[in-house]
Amino acid sequence: MPVDTIFWQNGKVRLVDQTLLPSEFKYISCGDVKALWHAIKRLQVRGAPAIGVAGALGVVLGVKDSKAASGAKLAREVGGIARYLGSSRPTAVNLFWALERMRSIAENNSARSPAQIKKILLAEAMKIIAEDKAACRRMAKYGASLIKSGDAILTHCNAGGLATADYGTALGVLFEAKAQGKRIKVYADETRPLLQGARLTTWELMHEGIDTTLICDNMAASLMAKGKIDKVFVGADRIAANGDAANKIGTYGIAVLAKYHRIPFYVVAPLSTIDRGIRTGKDIPIEERAGDEVRALGGRYIAPRRVKVYNPAFDVTPNSLITAIITEKGILKK
Ligand code: MRU
């Protein structure tokens, strides 16, 4: 569903606090870069394109009250703010892509006054938002062409409106298929440990009136074996030059299952998610998160407090398991 996930309002960054959904739909304001850094780290704003937008708006926030005496000094400050924001989450390349856009536009305009550069930075952040919205719509059209009426689709994590500035990547495809009058059924993996599928994806799909069924992550295999899944659509956080794609932990397992059961496995992502500087998925940095995300559920411990935990937030699906990558420029097939 289209959501105003994150935007600029009265000198602050406003964003939907995604940690509260689906119980509460609430906007919070970040008035300084540190607050925004924490919002990204805590996943109050999350999803690759959305954290790209957060990075761009974060730079605007960071320079807002700067007293830099020259454009060159302000451009240097932008470099520092970008480095700081980039330290929040390492995997989604959209964050670094947006920060680099902001840094280079400041540098290219460093001969101008600080006031002018501040305006240019705000305009660039707005452009990134507008481009993301347009990309969502185009990916949705390309992706929907792969869906037939009657298809049952599996998705993982949340690649919807909450993860972008518009109505999503993988979920955008499903919303468009529905809008075109195709009858679809969607299975959403709950997506342990932080339950983006259970909390966010089902909420978005149901809001759009799509036939939605929530499953635990370990149920996909049995559904596939029963012939109940026709296609898989997921998003991505970083795609290497060879097409290997990092996405939420568990995606790789689904791709292996899909291959075994001869089910098409599609990745939907804007070009800003493709990192040509990284040759294969082996070089994609994978974020590891706090053990308590696995030990506890909804604030209650479900495992011994001192048990060791392995908690990578993403895994990499090799290109050999991906049927096609859907971008705003078209469908990339091998
Ligand atoms: O840790 P998250 O919730 O930010 O992870 C998000 C995902 O893995 C999404 O699938 C990905 O960013 C694509 S979003 C359009």
Side-chain angles (χ1 to χ4, degrees):
M1 85 195 236
V3 191
D4 278 327
T5 306
I6 177 163
F7 53 93
W8 182 252
Q9 192 179 59
N10 301 329
K12 291 186 175 159
V13 177
R14 290 276 285 169
L15 55 94
V16 177
D17 183 348
Q18 299 190 33
T19 62
L20 303 177
L21 283 166
S23 328
E24 216 184 320
F25 183 86
K26 186 181 155 193
Y27 280 98
I28 56 164
S29 289
C30 296
D32 59 57
V33 183
K34 205 168 162 198
L36 187 63
W37 187 96
H38 282 285
I40 298 171
K41 184 81 184 167
R42 294 190 58 230
L43 272 55
Q44 287 173 299
V45 57
R46 48 144 300 280
I51 63 173
V53 170
L57 291 177
V59 169
V60 178
L61 197 57
V63 297
K64 190 176 59 113
D65 299 322
S66 166
K67 301 278 182 289
S70 68
K73 284 200 173 122
L74 191 77
R76 269 200 298 283
E77 282 181 17
V78 168
I81 295 163
R83 272 192 301 282
Y84 173 64
L85 286 167
S87 68
S88 57
R89 297 194 76 192
T91 303
V93 76
N94 310 61
L95 174 62
F96 303 95
W97 166 86
L99 291 172
E100 178 50 27
R101 246 175 96 158
M102 299 299 276
R103 194 203 59 75
S104 68
I105 203 156
E107 192 178 289
N108 295 341
N109 286 282
S110 59
R112 297 179 192 267
S113 72
Q116 281 173 322
I117 298 176
K118 288 181 191 182
K119 277 198 189 133
I120 290 169
L121 286 169
L122 178 58
E124 189 68 7
M126 295 304 142
K127 207 167 146 205
I128 287 173
I129 294 174
E131 285 172 13
D132 186 51
K133 285 180 195 268
C136 285
R137 298 286 157 164
R138 285 200 294 268
M139 286 183 281
K141 288 258 184 306
Y142 286 120
S145 70
L146 300 165
I147 294 180
K148 288 204 310 277
S149 200
D151 274 351
I153 289 149
L154 175 68
T155 190
H156 189 69
C157 193
N158 172 266
L162 292 161
T164 63
D166 190 62
Y167 73 170
T169 58
L171 293 196
V173 167
L174 309 184
F175 298 143
E176 175 62 24
K178 166 95 183 354
Q180 290 176 1
K182 293 176 184 170
R183 195 174 35 79
I184 54 170
K185 177 174 179 64
V186 181
Y187 288 94
D189 277 340
E190 63 175 352
T191 318
R192 277 280 288 152
L194 296 180
L195 305 175
Q196 289 93 328
R199 296 185 301 103
L200 311 175
T201 295
T202 58
W203 181 78
E204 286 197 42
L205 291 168
M206 289 171 75
H207 190 274
E208 290 297 304
I210 291 179
D211 178 351
T212 306
T213 303
L214 174 65
I215 59 169
C216 297
D217 295 337
N218 51 6
M219 295 171 183
S222 92
L223 272 178
M224 287 185 184
K226 290 190 170 99
K228 296 209 174 213
I229 305 287
D230 298 299
K231 280 153 198 160
V232 179
F233 283 84
V234 295
D237 288 82
R238 191 184 297 231
I239 301 175
N242 73 341
D244 294 348
N247 191 47
K248 179 53 56 194
I249 189 75
T251 305
Y252 170 45
I254 297 165
V256 172
L257 288 171
K259 185 80 169 181
Y260 180 81
H261 292 96
R262 299 179 205 280
I263 295 167
F265 180 93
Y266 296 111
V267 171
V268 191
L271 294 175
S272 55
T273 303
I274 300 179
D275 185 352
R276 289 171 204 280
I278 281 195
R279 218 168 51 77
T280 78
K282 286 200 175 57
D283 299 323
I284 297 177
I286 300 295
E287 175 183 11
E288 283 202 34
R289 295 185 59 89
D292 271 1
E293 289 184 353
V294 178
R295 287 185 203 102
L297 197 57
R300 191 174 145 258
Y301 278 86
I302 55 165
R305 284 173 193 242
R306 290 179 54 221
V307 70
K308 283 193 282 182
V309 165
Y310 172 55
N311 185 20
F314 302 95
D315 58 24
V316 176
T317 298
N319 62 28
S320 56
L321 301 181
I322 299 171
T323 310
I325 298 176
I326 295 140
T327 75
E328 68 272 36
K329 294 274 189 219
I331 301 175
L332 306 171
K333 278 196 193 139
K334 271 175 284 172

